[in-house]
Amino acid sequence: MAEASTASNAQTGILGWVERTGNKLPDPVFIFFYLIIALVVISVIAAMTGVSALHPTAVDAETGGALRIEAVSLLAADNIQRLWVEMPKTFTHFHPLGYVLVVMLGAGVAERSGFFAAGMSKAVKSAPKALLTPVVALVAMIGNHAADAGYVVLIPLAGILFAAAGRHPLAGIAAAFAGVSGGFSANISPGQLDALLFGITEEAVGASALDPSWTANIAGNWYFITAMTVLFLPIIWYVTDKIIEPRLGAWTGGATAGAGSGEEIETQDEAAASKGLRAAGLAALFVVGLWVLMVFAPGTPLIDEAACEAIPAADCSIHSELRPLYQSLVAAFFLLFLLTGWAYGRAAGTIKDHRDLVNMMAESMKDMGYYLVLAFAAAHFVAMFGWSNLGLITAVHGAAGIESTGLPLPLVLGLMVLFAGLLNLFVGSASAKWALLAPILVPMLMLLGISPEGATAAYRVGDSATNIITPLMVYFPLILVFAQRWKKDFGLGSLTAMMLPYSVWLLISGTLLIVIWFYLGIPLGPDAPVGYTMPTVTP
């Protein structure tokens, strides 16, 4: 494997400062623990000084006016008791935990059986040369459901295919990296990222107590992420073909210049892979058919026909009746990934018996070990924020402060996108950042008239756009290795410079998309309006 010199890997300027500063930050798990300590100190001071706010929806039964919410010390006896007594409940009832683990049980089988990798390879290899860039970009964005496979399989494969077509392999690597990572939130269907982020959003709404009836719907950004895919595809295509590849110059190294390290990409037998993909397609049709049956069959288990009986007719909609269907999507994706992975593995020979299937599911849970530790810390941070009332108090005063500036709400969303993109340069974990931001931003934006789904959509635009330019992103060194196979002196600075145009254009276009989306009032997903109206205040 080619090694870059120290000089070529050195970053200077703003990106160098980002790298040095980010490397000094502790692990996100410890960031949460340090924030919990700070939260305890702040809660004590806030309680002593009488920090408070008027609850926007609750009414004081004694006075008939708005209920005053006061800061509560986390060192109060009942909060200390709650911390230790409810610790198992705080952890296990953390909404993202169940959502993500269920989906990953199935996704782990689809990944380890080779289904994800074979599907992406088949799609890209079948692309006409003239459409190689957009096909790579599209498969990369859709392939972010495949987690590691998108980075480990598709990105180096794109380099090889570009070289075989007589094009610069680094342009292929750049296009695939931009799609997988820069378009991390773009897709044509919800997946494990939606389960993860909306689980945190639901936790934040619950902690604020602003709307006890609100529940997460992992399809809540479906329309928006599909629009992101449609928007990002021509942007990645244009930047690759018109900006990046001309700067790289003509490729004269041949189709195998990067294969000298002995680490060529391993591909399964084409016939076995094709057989497996056909079997996986039948399994996918079975799952889709099963869900359709449960919607339209007698008894309609996924339709709540009685949903409108207890609410005014004007407030009823088809989405009220379809709520069980939306809530079943976590299980649907679990079963879809599980059965397609199993069907592929049985047909392709990567799964011999039920023990292989169980082992793949177990291995996927092993990979979630770090996430479990992170979730434990995040769960207690979010819960303690709620116990102290500081989240709601901060949201109320923050919303009032934003209203006083007169900033249009779409502009507020745009600023949130930019803030998330900046924070992403230092803290790479999408779940860690959202767990930090959601307890304040979600209720604050609800008070301003922006739905929890709208807040989540704005966050994910900023979170993904800057992934491809920060050396702190976990796959950044791996992409550098892939690039160095084709150009030995390709360093961190070279990779960052190559990906910067993608990041800028994705951030600008994504920000404009969320701003225009809010102006037009288009639903972000089924039963997921971008605007929000607070529940009626009742005694």
Side-chain angles (χ1 to χ4, degrees), residues 3-30:
E3 296 290 344
S5 66
T6 303
S8 65
N9 282 334
Q11 290 266 29
T12 58
I14 294 177
L15 291 173
W17 176 79
V18 168
E19 181 180 6
R20 292 189 298 272
T21 303
N23 286 332
K24 293 178 182 178
L25 292 175
D27 186 274
V29 173
F30 269 82

Side-chain angles (χ1 to χ4, degrees), residues 1-3 156 160 173 255-266 478 480-488:
M1 182 186 303
E3 296 290 344
I160 292 174
I173 289 174
T256 59
S261 64
E263 298 182 21
E264 297 83 355
I265 300 173
E266 296 181 3
L478 179 64
L480 181 63
V481 169
F482 293 151
Q484 288 174 347
R485 291 176 175 176
W486 300 95
K487 189 176 180 182
K488 294 182 179 180

Side-chain angles (χ1 to χ4, degrees), residues 4 7-11 15 19 151 155 169-178 181 239 244 247-248 466-484 487 489-503:
S8 65
N9 282 334
Q11 290 266 29
L15 291 173
E19 181 180 6
Y151 291 94
I155 293 177
L170 294 185
I173 289 174
F177 188 26
S181 196
V239 171
I244 301 304
R247 290 182 179 179
L248 291 171
T466 53
N467 276 337
I468 50 181
I469 60 171
T470 172
L472 301 178
M473 189 263 186
V474 292
Y475 287 104
F476 206 82
L478 179 64
I479 309 307
L480 181 63
V481 169
F482 293 151
Q484 288 174 347
K487 189 176 180 182
D489 61 348
F490 200 80
L492 281 174
S494 304
L495 180 56
T496 302
M498 183 172 71
M499 301 310 299
L500 187 58
Y502 294 103
S503 184

Side-chain angles (χ1 to χ4, degrees), residues 170-494:
L170 294 185
I173 289 174
F177 188 26
V180 173
S181 196
F184 184 61
S185 285
N187 217 302
I188 59 174
S189 70
Q192 54 261 46
L193 178 63
D194 298 81
L196 172 65
L197 295 182
F198 275 109
I200 296 173
T201 303
E202 183 175 18
E203 194 77 18
V205 175
S208 72
L210 288 178
D211 189 352
S213 66
W214 192 89
T215 56
N217 166 18
I218 72 165
N221 282 169
W222 193 347
Y223 304 158
F224 183 74
I225 62 176
T226 301
M228 286 177 66
T229 306
V230 174
L231 176 64
F232 286 177
L233 180 59
I235 289 175
I236 295 175
W237 187 358
Y238 177 84
V239 171
T240 301
D241 289 3
K242 301 300 183 182
I243 299 177
I244 301 304
E245 197 162 11
R247 290 182 179 179
L248 291 171
W251 175 249
T252 58
T256 59
S261 64
E263 298 182 21
E264 297 83 355
I265 300 173
E266 296 181 3
T267 57
Q268 294 179 349
D269 177 77
E270 292 291 338
S274 297
K275 182 179 179 182
L277 289 173
R278 287 192 294 270
L282 293 175
L285 290 176
F286 169 77
V287 175
V288 173
L290 178 62
W291 249 251
V292 171
L293 181 66
M294 289 188 289
V295 170
F296 294 105
T300 59
L302 293 182
I303 300 292
D304 184 4
E305 296 179 338
C308 294
E309 294 179 359
I311 59 177
D315 296 333
C316 182
S317 70
I318 185 62
H319 296 299
S320 300
E321 297 181 350
L322 288 175
R323 182 157 294 183
L325 172 63
Y326 301 147
Q327 293 175 334
S328 74
L329 290 178
V330 171
F333 280 105
F334 155 71
L335 196 62
L336 177 67
F337 291 142
L338 177 66
L339 293 187
T340 52
W342 173 79
Y344 175 88
R346 290 288 294 179
T350 56
I351 296 179
K352 304 298 183 183
D353 53 33
H354 70 280
R355 291 180 177 82
D356 289 338
L357 181 67
V358 174
N359 286 337
M360 288 179 180
M361 297 175 75
E363 287 295 324
S364 69
M365 290 298 98
K366 289 180 183 178
D367 289 346
M368 297 301 292
Y370 175 79
Y371 174 73
L372 292 175
V373 178
L374 179 64
F376 177 81
H380 283 83
F381 173 76
V382 173
M384 293 172 74
F385 222 109
W387 301 344
S388 69
N389 288 334
L390 289 177
L392 180 57
I393 292 172
T394 305
V396 170
H397 290 300
I402 292 175
E403 281 185 326
S404 67
T405 65
L407 288 174
L409 291 185
L411 181 57
V412 173
L413 278 180
L415 292 175
M416 179 180 166
V417 170
L418 297 178
F419 176 69
L422 178 62
L423 184 60
N424 191 45
L425 294 174
F426 303 95
V427 181
S429 170
S431 58
K433 288 193 300 295
W434 191 223
L436 288 170
L437 299 174
I440 294 177
L441 289 181
V442 171
M444 183 176 72
L445 293 176
M446 289 170 67
L447 293 171
L448 292 170
I450 298 174
S451 68
E453 293 90 349
T456 307
Y459 165 75
R460 62 198 305 173
V461 171
D463 170 64
S464 61
T466 53
N467 276 337
I468 50 181
I469 60 171
T470 172
L472 301 178
M473 189 263 186
V474 292
Y475 287 104
F476 206 82
L478 179 64
I479 309 307
L480 181 63
V481 169
F482 293 151
Q484 288 174 347
R485 291 176 175 176
W486 300 95
K487 189 176 180 182
K488 294 182 179 180
D489 61 348
F490 200 80
L492 281 174
S494 304

